[in-house]
Amino acid sequence: MSTEKKPCEICSKKVVSLTQCKSCGRNYCNKCQSPSTSQNFCKECVAMEGVVTKE
């Protein structure tokens, strides 16, 4: 199991696990996950009106 830490593209904090935002494609840490949705959107995309997924 890899313990290499990678930087979050939102807050720059180095973490072991990142998630890719379905809207902007940036990789973010758990802290930058939008609390208002259970889907894979970063808090910056959800803060903007009219989030549009690329799927």
Side-chain angles (χ1 to χ4, degrees):
M1 181 177 213
S2 176
T3 57
E4 179 184 348
K5 292 188 176 185
K6 299 171 188 162
C8 171
E9 294 178 27
I10 307 296
C11 71
S12 301
K13 180 180 176 183
K14 289 192 176 185
V15 294
V16 175
S17 178
L18 295 171
T19 304
Q20 186 175 41
C21 179
K22 290 168 57 176
S23 181
C24 68
R26 292 185 289 180
N27 294 307
Y28 62 87
C29 67
N30 288 341
K31 180 181 173 189
C32 292
Q33 165 78 34
S34 171
S36 62
T37 178
S38 60
Q39 297 180 26
N40 293 336
F41 292 110
C42 71
K43 63 183 182 181
E44 289 188 356
C45 284
V46 172
M48 294 185 291
E49 291 185 50
V51 172
V52 179
T53 64
K54 294 181 181 177
E55 292 184 320

